Amino acid sequence: MSQFKRKLNNFAVFSLAILFAELIQAVAHNYIDHWKEGHGKYVSVLLSMILAIAVFYPVFHFLDKYIQSASKNYIKSSKKASGGGTSGLLLGYSLAMFFMFIAFAQLWYHKDVIADLGHWLKGFI
């Protein structure tokens, strides 16, 4: 594997792991948001700090090899499906990023990206 492909693959794996951890943290934040509002801003800051450590430490320490393995398998599968090479890596990464975008848009803003995209396409056509 060339130096460029290796760096691109490492970037894809690491960025997907970061976004996965952030998605887990955002889901956890949604569950405790209503509770922490009534306990003051300092308690809210403390809970957010504890939650960040509770999510990111295990993800990057204990689950690092599993996330990298799953991400690498996804990237390899996408490369095989598209004939290999850099285009397969970029296609698989773009698809994974699109799914992450859908999840974050739903979680943060309660937006249905697929439905909105359909409405946009209807208006465009």
Side-chain angles (χ1 to χ4, degrees):
M1 185 184 293
S2 73
Q3 182 76 7
F4 174 72
K5 286 183 184 177
R6 190 174 328 114
K7 285 184 178 186
L8 189 60
N9 191 48
N10 288 343
F11 172 78
V13 168
F14 194 66
S15 63
L16 289 174
I18 289 170
L19 288 174
F20 182 70
E22 178 61 28
L23 188 60
I24 292 171
Q25 182 180 10
V27 168
H29 266 288
N30 279 354
Y31 284 118
I32 66 168
D33 268 351
H34 73 280
W35 182 85
K36 72 179 184 179
E37 286 176 7
H39 291 85
K41 293 180 180 173
Y42 292 123
V43 172
S44 175
V45 169
L46 184 61
L47 282 175
S48 295
M49 290 171 64
I50 291 170
L51 181 61
I53 292 169
V55 168
F56 283 103
Y57 183 79
V59 166
F60 288 113
H61 183 67
F62 296 116
L63 299 178
D64 182 49
K65 63 182 175 184
Y66 300 113
I67 289 172
Q68 285 193 15
S69 175
S71 297
K72 284 180 183 178
N73 287 337
Y74 175 77
I75 298 297
K76 284 180 185 178
S77 298
S78 64
K79 285 168 71 174
K80 284 181 185 177
S82 69
T86 306
S87 62
L89 173 63
L90 293 175
L91 178 66
Y93 181 72
S94 298
L95 189 59
M97 291 297 284
F98 181 67
F99 287 129
M100 289 283 191
F101 182 84
I102 290 171
F104 280 115
Q106 175 61 39
L107 187 66
W108 289 340
Y109 300 106
H110 307 289
K111 300 296 277 180
D112 185 352
V113 174
I114 302 297
D116 289 346
L117 185 61
H119 295 316
W120 179 79
L121 286 174
K122 282 182 186 177
F124 184 72
I125 296 174

